[in-house]
């Protein structure tokens, strides 16, 4: 079945037909298909389309402008992405995450701050909250035991150390540190008239040197066997008692942080650390769990290095955070928030599909270079510092 379509008449012929009349040439005599093509007729407009005005650009020009605008917008997006991308591949969003209702297991049931029942009026009250009588009694017991052993071997008699003498010794030590006299010889502190007379008035120089030389925090008879499993066995029990007091005297808030501290020390120990980025450079490294809102140390782990029989440790920071020695509320909160799981997934994504030497996968093999950046979509190594997205993801 053939459908009839109205013939298309050129504009000039239509104008002549209107001016001269319709009788000269019937419309039916004109071929149904015009000899003038759609391209040659500038006035022809297909049905359903709007004729472009004089100010409106042509379709080809409009497509070119759209392409330029899209390329400019993509370049702006790439600049934004590159500015928010860290060196390790983490993307920092401009807006904070959406606030949702806090789950019931993350709600604090008690107010953060000092634990109820513990109040301080003077500095000595704060001292007694952490250095309790149980710690002092343990130090007295171990020191007197060591003093009697050394005195017996030398054929002398040991004068029993009392709690008052121990507190006086600790006070003189703190006084010397506050006056920055840690490098001054002891005989100069006690004998020179230019120094504080408090040293000589508290105790004799001989008694001070005896306490300093024989001060002990454990039983030396069992130390040798315990050193096979713990390098810090000489101070482990006192340290654990101190951490128990730190946990009991403060209720942490909903935000805690873990960081390291290098305590300056140049004495003889197996776990002395050298950290050139720290001011002291040499000392004992301690991982502290602190409250993020209040500068309070909740818990801590002394890094004693590789224990006897252990393998070389890797990812020390992650293992320290995930150690079972941390308080229960911290490990449970990390498990609920999926902190370690997200860190592991990020590490898997960053190492997936990469070569062992982390060479750029966009450069030819004979000209490849070591990559310092990664594609933020597929995490493959990219040697260019400006191009954050690889060619595969761009296509």
């Amino acid at each position: 079945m053939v459908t009839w379509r109205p013939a298309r008449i050129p504009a000039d012929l239509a104008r002549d037909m209107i001016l001269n009349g319709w009788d000269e040439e019937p419309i039916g005599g004109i071929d149904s298909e015009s000899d003038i093509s759609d391209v040659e007729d500038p006035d022809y407009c297909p049905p359903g389309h709007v004729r472009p005005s004089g100010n409106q650009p042509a379709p080809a020009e409009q497509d070119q402008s759209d392409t330029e605008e899209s390329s400019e917008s993509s370049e702006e997006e790439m600049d934004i992405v590159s500015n928010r991308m860290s060196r390790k591949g983490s993307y920092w969003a401009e807006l904070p995450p959406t606030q949702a209702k806090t789950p019931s297991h993350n709600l604090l049931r008690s107010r953060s701050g000092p634990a109820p029942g513990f109040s301080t009026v003077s500095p000595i009250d704060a001292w007694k909250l952490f250095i309790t009588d149980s710690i002092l009694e343990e130090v007295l017991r171990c020191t007197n035991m060591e003093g009697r052993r050394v005195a017996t071997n030398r054929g002398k008699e040991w004068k029993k150390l009392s709690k008052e003498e121990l507190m006086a010794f600790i006070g003189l030590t703190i006084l010397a540190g506050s006056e920055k006299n840690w490098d001054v010889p002891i005989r100069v502190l006690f004998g020179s008239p230019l120094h504080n007379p408090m040293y000589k008035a508290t105790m004799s120089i001989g008694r001070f040197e005896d306490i300093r030389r024989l001060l002990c925090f454990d039983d030396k008879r069992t130390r040798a066997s315990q050193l096979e499993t713990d390098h810090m066995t000489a101070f482990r029990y006192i340290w654990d008692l101190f951490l128990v007091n730190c946990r009991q005297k403060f209720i942490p808030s909903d935000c805690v942080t873990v960081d390291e501290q290098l305590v300056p020390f140049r004495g003889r120990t197996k776990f002395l650390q050298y950290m050139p980025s720290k001011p002291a450079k040499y000392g004992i490294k301690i991982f502290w769990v602190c409250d993020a809102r209040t500068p309070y140390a909740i818990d801590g782990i002394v890094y004693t290095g590789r224990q006897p029989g252990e393998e070389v440790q890797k990812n020390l920071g992650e293992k320290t955070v995930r150690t079972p020695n941390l308080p229960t509320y911290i490990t449970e909160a990390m498990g609920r928030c999926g902190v370690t799981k997200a860190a592991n997934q990020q590490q898997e994504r960053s190492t997936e599909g990469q070569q062992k030497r982390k060479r750029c996968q966009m450069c030819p093999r004979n000209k490849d270079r070591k990559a310092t950046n990664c594609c933020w979509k597929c995490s493959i190594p990219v040697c260019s510092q400006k191009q954050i997205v690889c060619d595969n993801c761009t296509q």
Side-chain angles (χ1 to χ4, degrees):
M1 181 179 178
V2 180
T3 57
W4 178 84
R5 294 187 303 173
R8 293 199 297 268
I9 302 174
D12 298 339
L13 181 58
R15 184 173 62 253
D16 296 339
M17 292 174 62
I18 294 174
L19 297 176
N20 299 330
W22 296 91
D23 297 335
E24 294 182 2
E25 186 176 357
I27 298 178
I30 302 175
D31 297 336
S32 58
E33 294 293 337
S34 177
D35 297 337
I36 302 176
S37 62
D38 299 341
V39 179
E40 296 176 356
D41 188 6
D43 298 331
Y44 172 71
C45 180
H49 293 266
V50 180
R51 185 184 302 276
S53 60
N55 297 330
Q56 187 173 358
E61 296 178 357
Q62 186 175 2
D63 295 340
Q64 185 178 1
S65 62
D66 294 342
T67 306
E68 293 178 356
E69 291 179 358
S70 61
S71 62
E72 291 178 359
S73 61
S74 62
E75 291 179 358
E76 292 178 358
E77 293 177 358
M78 290 295 297
D79 294 339
I80 295 174
V81 170
S82 60
N83 291 334
R84 298 178 185 173
M85 188 68 61
S86 65
R87 294 181 178 178
K88 296 183 179 180
S90 300
Y91 180 76
W92 296 90
E94 181 180 3
L95 300 177
T98 57
Q99 297 293 335
K101 184 178 179 180
T102 305
S104 59
H105 55 266
N106 283 340
L107 293 176
L108 295 178
R109 305 300 177 182
S110 57
R111 183 178 180 181
S112 61
F118 300 100
S119 59
T120 57
V121 180
S122 60
I124 190 62
D125 296 335
W127 165 271
K128 291 181 180 179
L129 290 179
F130 302 99
I131 309 299
T132 56
D133 293 340
S134 59
I135 295 179
L136 295 177
E137 290 175 0
E138 180 67 18
V139 175
L140 287 173
R141 186 183 67 84
C142 297
T143 303
N144 287 323
M145 186 184 305
E146 179 67 14
R148 287 192 298 267
R149 185 187 67 83
V150 174
T152 302
N153 294 336
R154 294 182 179 181
K156 298 180 180 181
E157 184 178 358
W158 168 256
K159 182 181 178 181
K160 185 178 180 180
L161 180 64
S162 62
K163 182 180 178 181
E164 288 75 14
E165 279 186 313
L166 179 60
M167 293 295 294
F169 173 81
I170 296 174
L172 292 180
T173 306
I174 296 176
L175 178 61
S178 62
E179 294 180 349
K180 299 182 180 181
N181 292 328
W182 53 79
D183 56 346
V184 180
I186 297 178
R187 294 191 175 274
V188 176
L189 287 178
F190 279 81
S192 176
L194 301 178
H195 288 85
N196 197 330
M198 186 67 67
Y199 299 100
K200 191 174 182 179
T202 303
M203 63 177 60
S204 63
I205 183 175
R207 184 61 173 173
F208 184 87
E209 288 184 343
D210 289 343
I211 297 175
R212 184 182 63 87
R213 188 183 304 112
L214 300 174
L215 188 65
C216 193
F217 304 97
D218 70 324
D219 190 357
K220 281 192 174 182
R221 295 175 297 180
T222 60
R223 181 184 298 179
S225 59
Q226 295 178 0
L227 280 175
E228 298 178 357
T229 57
D230 187 9
H231 288 161
M232 195 183 163
T233 183
F235 194 69
R236 176 66 65 184
Y237 183 68
I238 302 298
W239 175 255
D240 292 341
L241 292 178
F242 173 74
L243 293 181
V244 170
N245 296 332
C246 292
R247 301 189 199 106
Q248 293 178 351
K249 303 303 187 296
F250 188 83
I251 301 175
S253 61
D254 56 344
C255 298
V256 295
T257 180
V258 180
D259 203 350
E260 63 182 12
Q261 177 192 13
L262 186 68
V263 180
F265 183 74
R266 289 179 177 267
R268 293 179 298 176
T269 178
K270 293 183 178 180
F271 45 90
L272 186 68
Q273 298 293 316
Y274 171 70
M275 301 180 68
S277 60
K278 301 292 183 179
K281 296 188 181 347
Y282 289 93
I284 299 175
K285 184 164 65 175
I286 305 177
F287 292 96
W288 287 107
V289 180
C290 302
D291 186 78
R293 306 184 187 277
T294 306
Y296 181 87
I298 306 169
D299 205 337
I301 298 176
V302 178
Y303 177 64
T304 57
R306 185 175 59 178
Q307 299 295 338
E310 290 185 354
E311 299 179 355
V312 178
Q313 298 182 4
K314 297 182 179 180
N315 299 328
L316 180 61
E318 180 181 353
K319 289 185 178 180
T320 303
V321 174
R322 300 176 64 181
T323 182
N325 294 332
L326 289 179
T328 307
Y329 52 82
I330 296 179
T331 54
E332 290 180 355
M334 291 173 56
R336 290 194 299 266
C337 299
V339 175
T340 56
K341 182 179 179 181
N344 294 337
Q345 291 178 355
Q346 178 69 19
Q347 185 177 4
E348 292 175 0
R349 285 197 302 268
S350 61
T351 57
E352 183 179 0
Q354 295 185 8
Q355 299 179 2
K356 292 183 178 180
R357 298 186 66 183
K358 293 184 178 181
R359 296 284 184 174
C360 178
Q361 297 187 4
M362 296 176 55
C363 300
R365 185 60 184 173
N366 57 349
K367 296 182 180 180
D368 60 351
R369 295 176 294 178
K370 287 188 177 181
T372 57
N373 298 326
C374 297
C375 175
W376 70 282
K377 287 187 177 181
C378 61
S379 300
I380 67 171
V382 180
C383 64
S384 177
Q385 298 182 357
K386 297 182 179 180
Q387 186 173 0
I388 306 300
V389 183
C390 64
D391 294 341
N392 298 330
C393 297
T394 304
Q395 295 176 0

